[in-house]
Amino acid sequence: QVQLVESGGGLVQAGDSMTLSCAASGRTFSNLIMGWFRQAPGKEREFVAAVSRSGVSTYYTDSVSVKGRFTISRDNAKNTGYLQMNSLQPEDTAVYYCAAISSLNPVSFFRSRSQYQYWGQGTQVTVSS
């Protein structure tokens, strides 16, 4: 079993930056693909980004609203994943979830909610205009 705990959310202004963290426990962290999803009010939970077990490979949503502004990373020594978000906009307001799956498949394979086995409780990010 894997436990994931997100932190770092809160209220920011448009244009600000924020880094979310996801602390993992319960299983060898370096064996896990890690991903970030977000869910805005009234919308489906959507894929944001994923990072390979080593951290070398990353994969992002095709959404033009996210590309170039968000960066996913991980520190296996700290059992922690990160999502760096720059130039935040009100449309980035959502609950952000980290997720994980133990797999040898390429990170680009993991962009669907159903593919992830473990989930955190989510952290609220609110961006004011």
Side-chain angles (χ1 to χ4, degrees), residues 2-123:
V2 174
Q3 293 78 44
L4 302 173
V5 179
E6 302 97 335
S7 61
L11 174 64
V12 296
Q13 293 187 330
D16 285 351
S17 297
M18 174 183 284
T19 298
L20 304 181
S21 299
C22 176
S25 62
R27 195 162 179 173
T28 303
F29 184 66
S30 59
N31 287 340
L32 302 172
I33 298 282
M34 282 204 61
W36 285 94
F37 288 73
R38 67 182 183 181
Q39 188 166 16
K43 294 189 176 181
E44 296 285 321
R45 191 173 301 187
E46 64 174 355
F47 171 76
V48 176
V51 60
S52 64
R53 295 175 301 157
S54 66
V56 171
S57 299
T58 56
Y59 186 67
Y60 294 90
T61 175
D62 291 333
S63 170
V64 296
S65 68
V66 169
K67 276 187 174 180
R69 296 191 298 121
F70 289 13
T71 302
I72 190 172
S73 63
R74 66 192 294 161
D75 186 337
N76 286 346
K78 295 183 178 180
N79 290 347
T80 301
Y82 305 96
L83 184 67
Q84 170 72 36
M85 304 183 292
N86 298 326
S87 302
L88 283 163
Q89 300 301 316
E91 53 265 35
D92 294 318
T93 295
V95 178
Y96 283 73
Y97 298 88
C98 69
I101 178 70
S102 178
S103 176
L104 298 178
N105 284 328
V107 63
S108 58
F109 182 76
F110 297 98
R111 60 178 303 161
S112 173
R113 179 179 179 178
S114 62
Q115 293 169 315
Y116 287 82
Q117 183 176 5
Y118 307 107
W119 290 85
Q121 82 288 352
T123 185

